[in-house]
């Protein structure tokens, strides 16, 4: 039995509640349509319609089946649509922004996980700061992003906000490197290397405010767009860097901060999509990215909602 064809006939009859009108919509004669409904009823073992000389009504099993049948037919249509786009070389893509500093392992895991979940879509990743992502989401050049909070998230949908505690990267020969963890105030007098403020002004300002609140006022703040440049400053003894947990590099060690006073807050962000297929693709990206960030980057869900809007103030520092 052609189950999909029989379900399509069932849905049309259920919508028309008239076999003659349903047959006209389907472009077929009424007797074959009645035979198809009867075959479907025999296959399922339930009566789908109450028929009389004056009216046709759905039975209770018929009402239960209707939504399921519509869902099955919609999924079948999506399968044909995906296959047709693939045949024409028009397989879609999700354009997503990522902040710097996530690391190659996290990026590779994200690509692999999205490929497993949506093999019909290509993931186009772009490394870009939070402010640029927000602008790109607004003008439609990005479909989704992974942003640092606080940021201007008006008109954006947000996924779960995840926290990632920051520790300190120190020269291996530093006296502080001998301790299992470091008080933030003990960094007093040292320069700080952070990524450019222009990439995520809200997160940058929040980081420096947290440093001051816990007794660390950097002697100077150095722009370090590339993590390797920040590492160079650390190795030279010029500065320390506040970064998520990382493996020790030759000549440098990472230590957690006592009480975890500093953390990055991160979430997926996107604009509401009108097209159901587009919305589903974005939802799949958000779910995959959130899972990968938790599993591979050690981020954890936060209960507190992110600040919805930030008015940046001038500063000479920077953060990714």
């Amino acid at each position: 039995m052609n189950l999909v064809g029989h379900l399509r006939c069932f849905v049309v009859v259920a919508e028309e509640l008239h076999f003659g009108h349903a047959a006209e919509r389907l472009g077929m004669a009424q007797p074959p349509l009645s035979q198809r409904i009867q075959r479907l009823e025999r296959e399922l073992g339930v009566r789908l319609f109450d028929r009389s000389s004056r009216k046709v009504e759905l039975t209770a099993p018929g009402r239960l089946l209707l939504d399921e049948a519509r869902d099955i037919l919609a999924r079948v249509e999506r399968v044909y649509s995906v296959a047709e786009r693939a045949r024409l070389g028009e397989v879609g893509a999700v354009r997503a922004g990522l902040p710097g500093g996530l690391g190659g392992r996290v990026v590779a895991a994200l690509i692999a996980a999205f490929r497993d979940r949506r093999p019909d879509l290509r993931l186009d990743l772009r490394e870009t700061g939070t402010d640029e992502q927000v602008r790109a989401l607004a003008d439609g050049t990005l479909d989704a992003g992974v942003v640092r909070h606080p940021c201007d998230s008006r008109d954006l949908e947000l996924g779960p906000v995840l926290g990632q505690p920051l520790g300190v990267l120190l020269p291996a020969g530093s006296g502080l490197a001998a301790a299992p963890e470091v008080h933030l105030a003990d960094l007093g007098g040292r320069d700080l290397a952070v990524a450019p403020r222009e990439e995520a002004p809200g997160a940058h300002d929040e980081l420096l405010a947290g440093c001051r609140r816990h007794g660390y006022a950097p002697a100077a703040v150095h722009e370090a767009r590339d993590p390797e440049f920040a590492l160079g400053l650390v190795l030279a003894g010029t500065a320390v860097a506040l970064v998520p947990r990382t493996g020790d590099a030759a000549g440098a060690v990472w230590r957690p901060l006592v009480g975890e006073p500093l953390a990055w807050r991160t979430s997926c962000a996107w604009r509401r999509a009108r097209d159901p297929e587009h919305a589903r693709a974005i939802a799949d990206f958000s779910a995959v990215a959130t899972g990968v960030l938790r599993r591979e980057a050690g981020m954890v869900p936060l209960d507190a909602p992110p600040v919805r809007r930030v008015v940046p103030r001038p500063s000479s520092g920077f953060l990714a």
Side-chain angles (χ1 to χ4, degrees):
M1 183 181 71
N2 177 4
L3 180 60
V4 172
H6 284 66
L7 288 176
R8 186 171 287 111
C9 291
F10 162 68
V11 169
V12 174
V13 174
E15 291 172 348
E16 296 290 341
L17 294 178
H18 191 287
F19 275 83
H21 296 165
E24 290 178 10
R25 273 182 59 182
L26 291 165
M28 61 189 300
Q30 184 173 333
L33 174 59
S34 298
Q35 292 168 10
R36 285 196 175 192
I37 296 299
Q38 291 167 4
R39 287 189 63 189
L40 181 60
E41 290 175 324
R42 287 197 300 270
E43 179 71 20
L44 298 177
V46 294
R47 189 159 47 87
L48 300 172
F49 295 99
D50 283 327
R51 307 166 179 83
S52 71
S53 59
R54 287 183 295 183
K55 63 179 180 180
V56 175
E57 292 184 329
L58 279 166
T59 63
R63 288 192 294 272
L64 288 173
L65 180 63
L66 183 56
D67 285 342
E68 295 295 330
R70 284 172 170 154
D71 184 60
I72 290 170
L73 294 176
R75 289 175 180 272
V76 169
E77 286 300 319
R78 285 199 293 269
V79 168
Y80 281 115
S81 176
V82 168
E84 179 64 10
R85 292 201 307 270
R87 185 182 69 80
L88 298 174
E90 297 176 356
V91 175
V94 173
R95 303 161 300 170
L98 295 180
L102 286 181
R105 178 172 51 82
V106 174
V107 174
L110 175 55
I111 293 171
F114 188 78
R115 185 182 295 135
D116 287 344
R117 183 162 182 148
R118 292 301 302 267
D120 58 310
L121 293 175
R122 177 172 53 85
L123 183 57
D124 179 6
L125 293 178
R126 308 169 190 183
E127 186 181 53
T128 182
T130 290
D131 262 22
E132 180 57 33
Q133 287 189 53
V134 170
R135 288 191 291 269
L137 290 169
D139 65 26
T141 55
L142 278 182
D143 301 308
V146 175
V147 299
R148 305 281 191 207
H149 294 286
C151 65
D152 186 353
S153 55
R154 292 172 299 179
D155 303 323
L156 295 180
E157 302 290 322
L158 299 176
V161 179
L162 306 176
Q164 188 178 30
L166 301 180
V168 58
L169 194 63
L170 299 159
S174 166
L176 294 176
E181 53 184 3
V182 174
H183 286 276
L184 193 55
D186 290 342
L187 300 177
R190 292 172 171 83
D191 290 3
L192 176 64
V194 292
R197 180 180 185 274
E198 64 189 30
E199 295 186 2
H204 171 273
D205 292 345
E206 187 175 78
L207 175 72
L208 292 188
C211 288
R212 290 191 296 269
R213 191 165 55 250
H214 290 87
Y216 171 40
V221 177
H222 300 278
E223 179 173 325
R225 192 176 302 274
D226 186 338
E228 288 297 316
F229 182 75
L231 176 60
L233 295 179
V234 171
L235 292 175
T238 303
V240 297
L242 296 171
V243 295
R245 181 178 295 276
T246 182
D248 294 345
V253 295
W254 183 89
R255 293 291 181 264
L257 296 171
V258 175
E260 296 186 347
L262 304 176
W264 278 342
R265 291 182 291 135
T266 302
S267 80
C268 291
W270 63 93
R271 288 179 65 86
R272 185 183 299 274
R274 295 182 179 178
D275 173 43
E277 279 298 313
H278 191 203
R280 189 166 71 95
I282 293 173
D284 285 337
F285 170 81
S286 176
V288 166
T290 299
V292 168
L293 291 174
R294 293 186 63 179
R295 185 173 61 253
E296 302 293 339
M299 299 188 189
V300 296
L302 296 177
D303 294 329
V307 177
R308 302 298 296 182
R309 184 170 183 266
V310 170
V311 178
R313 66 177 186 275
S315 172
S316 59
F318 13 75
L319 177 76

